[in-house]
Amino acid sequence: MNLLLKAILLSMLSHWAMAEDGALNLLQAQEAADFNLSEGANVLSADLRGRSPRILLQSPLLIQDGQGQEVAETSTEVQLVAEFSDKDQVDMSKFELELRNGARVLPLAARLRPYITENRLDVRHLRIPPGRFEVAIRIEDKKGRLAEKSYLWVVKN
């Protein structure tokens, strides 16, 4: 019964987030406003790995700015593509992607689950409102070792 309820909720969430043209609207306008960082805010780039899984963000492309933080600059329509360690090593049920603003956290993994296949997140048509957002991606391997990658996502009109 619990699985059926989860499937129904996921289906409803996916339907809500899907635009008429098939694009995924990642955030509602109010969520974007709540998690928009101020112009001077910095994101401490986390790239925890060691012996844990690998997180390779293929799109959007990250660059390092003068302060050493990793930044993705995109338009409001973008691709979000990440690949994780070998599929037989990574536990995709532990995938997390969230926005952060201070102590506030907005989990987005449930909205992205339909775009996960084996060890890859692949959203080809994503819409995100303009703003500056701290993004954190986390994954565990099957031994419970955690990897995290965080960056500043600057979305322009």
Side-chain angles (χ1 to χ4, degrees), residues 90-144:
V90 72
D91 183 353
M92 291 306 289
S93 71
K94 303 289 183 168
F95 165 79
E96 294 294 332
L97 188 145
E98 58 192 28
L99 295 186
R100 299 175 180 164
N101 188 338
R104 293 182 299 168
V105 174
L106 178 63
L108 297 171
R111 299 177 193 181
L112 296 167
R113 290 250 182 251
Y115 301 92
I116 293 175
T117 56
E118 295 180 346
N119 64 328
R120 184 175 174 86
L121 170 67
D122 194 340
V123 187
R124 294 296 167 153
H125 303 286
L126 178 77
R127 286 203 185 106
I128 184 167
R132 297 168 48 87
F133 307 101
E134 179 179 352
V135 177
I137 301 171
R138 283 190 308 281
I139 192 72
E140 288 183 22
D141 66 12
K142 292 183 179 174
K143 294 181 180 178

Side-chain angles (χ1 to χ4, degrees), residues 46-109:
D47 197 357
L48 306 175
R49 200 169 105 54
R51 298 185 70 189
S52 58
R54 181 191 69 221
I55 300 172
L56 175 60
L57 187 65
Q58 297 174 342
S59 182
L61 190 61
L62 296 178
I63 59 167
Q64 201 165 44
D65 71 2
Q67 289 95 11
Q69 66 182 345
E70 289 188 291
V71 180
E73 290 189 11
T74 68
S75 67
T76 57
E77 298 206 17
V78 66
Q79 294 180 7
L80 178 58
V81 180
E83 191 169 303
F84 306 93
S85 295
D86 296 332
K87 65 182 177 182
D88 52 336
Q89 296 176 4
V90 72
D91 183 353
M92 291 306 289
S93 71
K94 303 289 183 168
F95 165 79
E96 294 294 332
L97 188 145
E98 58 192 28
L99 295 186
R100 299 175 180 164
N101 188 338
R104 293 182 299 168
V105 174
L106 178 63
L108 297 171

Side-chain angles (χ1 to χ4, degrees), residues 2 6 14 30 36 38-39 42 61 88-89 96 120 124 134-135 142 148 153:
N2 193 12
K6 284 182 182 179
S14 297
Q30 187 59 52
N36 189 21
S38 65
E39 189 65 36
N42 287 322
L61 190 61
D88 52 336
Q89 296 176 4
E96 294 294 332
R120 184 175 174 86
R124 294 296 167 153
E134 179 179 352
V135 177
K142 292 183 179 174
E148 180 173 329
W153 193 346

